[in-house]
Amino acid sequence: MPQGVVIIGAQWGDEGKGKIVDYYAAEADIVGRFQGGNNAGHTLVVEGKQTILHLIPSGVLHAHTRCLIGSGVVFDPEVFLEEVELLRKAGIPNLEDRVKVSDRCHLIFDYHRSLDAAREGGASAKNKIGTTKRGIGPAYEDRAARRGIRVIDLFNEDLLMDRARANYEEKNFLLQQYYKVPTVTIDQFTEKYRSIAERIKPFVADVAKEMYQATQDGKKILFEGAQGILLDIDYGTYPYVTSSHTLPSQAALGLGSRPPKDTLFLGVMKAYSTRVGEGPFPTELKDAMGERLRKEGHEFGATTGRPRRCGWLDLVAVRYSLQVSGIKHVAVTKADVLSGMGDLKVCTHYELDGKRIDTFIADTPALERAKPVYTTLPGWDEKLGGIRSTRDLPHACLEYLRFIEDQTGAKVNLISTGAGRESVIEIQRAF
């Protein structure tokens, strides 16, 4: 069995990665989050109780699992402390011992959030990206520009204030002079972050060193991705993407230690397609069926509450995701949502400017014009809830899964048949 499992979204995010991480974390010693920020919302349902996490890895609900936040994550300490308090109230034990954040994580401040919101609010509709306005992009910008502030800097007050003053001055100039919106104030900054530093200090660690040692010791390690491959800063539908790399290769960079040699790379995909925000979405349904998928699938963002755009399964997009990531195994979620939907359409090609293509192209405006070419498959009426074996799945559901395998060349390892942790059919074990 593999020592490591890397879990990546194979579409535009919101594929149900949190549930899959939670499921596999039952057998993992460590779960490490390696990119993104609190723009990711992972929803877990255990014994009917829902928990939504944005920063802390989804494995935290397992009392034995150690949860690490790597340096590839941009870290909002206020959101983190809110999550810690939420988990404490829920009775989750030993958080200071089990949850660790890298001292190299770059921090998100109020000026990042204000700049993010100003860009989205002030832009014309055609230039909006559809961000969560959580400050993720501006924080990654500061990291790349070498003006970021890291977790470790919270414990050096003089350094912290010097960098903060410079950043406030620059960001306030942009907010006031360019975006014509209210500025942010540095008043009480020292007192506020002195308190935050004291509160997060028990959680701060050298995550890269811990990851290396865990690998050497043969620990079972689960690498948790956020967003999805089609939102990767380079390989996604640019510019309608997130601000970090979402591919499996980021697992090593974002946690400071490469995955073990015997690692399973697992892509998580919905049985249909969704995306949040702006950008091309060839199979989007703007009709009653799209609304039905949204309603039956509860397709509203865990972070923002925004309704997700819904459409038929796009296998051109999934094939591309698996190609650029090297993933050969997938978990299919929300198959239960398709019960009773009648015949099901699956996109296998696009038609672009009168030509049929089977590739997910880099030209975003052209992708906006692409029309899906569908294959129609029989649907099924049976409810999937409670099914624990593929032997008991409806024949049409099995054929749908086989079609995915045939079209992508990937093996379906796991099927999710409901929101709860127990609503899973595991075809091939991970650990």
Side-chain angles (χ1 to χ4, degrees):
M1 290 294 172
Q3 182 188 350
V5 177
V6 179
I7 293 180
I8 302 286
Q11 293 161 306
W12 282 282
D14 308 308
E15 302 96 345
K17 294 180 295 298
K19 173 184 171 172
I20 305 304
V21 171
D22 171 68
Y23 179 80
Y24 283 131
E27 298 183 58
D29 299 303
I30 289 175
V31 178
R33 169 85 181 275
F34 56 84
Q35 52 80 217
N38 57 297
N39 54 340
H42 289 172
T43 302
L44 314 176
V45 180
V46 181
E47 296 179 354
K49 183 178 179 181
Q50 184 182 83
T51 301
I52 298 177
L53 299 171
H54 300 89
L55 275 174
I56 296 175
S58 303
V60 73
L61 300 188
H62 296 277
H64 71 281
T65 306
R66 194 164 177 81
C67 295
L68 307 179
I69 299 173
S71 61
V73 175
V74 285
F75 183 76
D76 189 323
E78 296 178 80
V79 171
F80 173 77
L81 290 170
E82 288 171 4
E83 284 192 14
V84 167
E85 190 59 31
L86 179 149
L87 292 168
R88 279 179 177 149
K89 288 181 178 177
I92 307 302
N94 305 322
L95 292 174
E96 286 86 352
D97 294 333
R98 296 195 299 116
V99 177
K100 297 297 174 183
V101 56
S102 171
D103 50 8
R104 297 175 184 269
C105 278
H106 280 253
L107 293 164
I108 296 173
F109 292 97
D110 56 353
Y111 51 77
H112 292 126
R113 293 188 290 269
S114 294
L115 191 57
D116 205 356
R119 287 170 175 169
E120 284 292 292
S124 64
K126 69 176 183 178
N127 290 326
K128 287 184 178 180
I129 301 298
T131 78
T132 59
K133 303 178 186 178
R134 298 298 197 268
I136 309 303
Y140 275 117
E141 288 174 27
D142 278 359
R143 184 181 79 161
R146 300 178 298 279
R147 56 174 170 256
I149 299 174
R150 301 181 300 168
V151 168
I152 193 67
D153 300 330
L154 290 174
F155 307 102
N156 184 334
E157 199 166 290
D158 290 340
L159 175 65
L160 176 64
M161 285 307 303
D162 284 347
R163 292 186 177 174
R165 286 191 191 97
N167 283 335
Y168 271 94
E169 183 178 349
E170 180 195 45
K171 301 306 189 289
N172 276 333
F173 180 84
L174 284 170
L175 292 169
Q176 184 177 46
Q177 301 299 323
Y178 186 76
Y179 292 107
K180 312 298 184 185
V181 298
T183 58
V184 290
T185 178
I186 197 171
D187 295 347
Q188 284 83 50
F189 181 90
T190 301
E191 291 79 5
K192 177 179 179 179
Y193 282 94
R194 186 182 290 144
S195 171
I196 284 175
E198 192 64 29
R199 292 172 65 193
I200 72 166
K201 190 173 185 178
F203 298 97
V204 178
D206 184 344
V207 164
K209 180 179 179 181
E210 186 163 334
M211 285 292 299
Y212 173 79
Q213 194 59 53
T215 302
Q216 297 302 110
D217 293 343
K219 300 287 188 183
K220 294 179 180 178
I221 305 171
L222 194 57
F223 297 78
E224 178 182 28
Q227 289 87 40
I229 290 169
L230 298 177
L231 294 179
D232 184 88
I233 187 68
D234 280 340
Y235 295 98
T237 50
Y238 191 88
Y240 305 101
V241 293
T242 194
S243 299
S244 60
H245 288 292
T246 61
L247 272 64
S249 52
Q250 183 62 28
L253 293 170
L255 282 161
S257 180
R258 68 166 178 79
K261 289 182 179 179
D262 52 338
T263 291
L264 170 70
F265 293 88
L266 184 73
V268 183
M269 55 175 286
K270 277 179 183 165
Y272 50 98
S273 300
T274 65
R275 79 170 296 173
V276 173
E278 307 299 322
F281 185 5
T283 65
E284 182 175 10
L285 296 171
K286 299 180 180 179
D287 57 11
M289 180 56 75
E291 185 58 38
R292 186 175 176 186
L293 284 171
R294 185 178 299 112
K295 180 181 178 181
E296 296 294 330
H298 306 288
E299 296 295 351
F300 298 89
T303 299
T304 63
R306 290 182 294 180
R308 296 177 185 135
R309 300 157 64 189
C310 297
W312 295 119
L313 178 60
D314 185 344
L315 289 182
V316 180
V318 172
R319 280 198 304 262
Y320 168 78
S321 292
L322 303 186
Q323 168 204 318
V324 297
S325 63
I327 289 173
K328 300 184 183 301
H329 300 266
V330 295
V332 178
T333 62
K334 294 202 171 184
D336 54 299
V337 174
L338 296 182
S339 292
M341 293 284 183
D343 287 345
L344 305 173
K345 293 183 179 180
V346 180
C347 174
T348 58
H349 299 78
Y350 299 146
E351 184 180 290
L352 178 63
D353 301 333
K355 296 180 180 179
R356 178 179 276 202
I357 62 172
D358 62 359
T359 55
F360 195 79
I361 56 177
D363 186 341
T364 302
L367 194 58
E368 293 271 17
R369 301 195 308 272
K371 304 297 182 185
V373 176
Y374 289 118
T375 295
T376 301
L377 300 174
W380 58 91
D381 292 326
E382 300 90 332
K383 299 294 184 183
L384 304 188
I387 294 177
R388 297 291 177 269
S389 169
T390 54
R391 293 190 302 271
D392 299 322
L393 286 172
H395 177 74
C397 181
L398 286 171
E399 289 300 305
Y400 192 83
L401 297 171
R402 290 190 186 109
F403 190 81
I404 291 172
E405 290 184 329
D406 290 343
Q407 287 287 314
T408 64
K411 173 68 176 175
V412 175
N413 278 36
L414 180 145
I415 308 156
S416 172
T417 58
R421 176 189 284 172
E422 72 287 347
S423 298
V424 165
I425 300 172
E426 189 174 11
I427 301 171
Q428 181 174 321
R429 289 177 60 83
F431 288 119

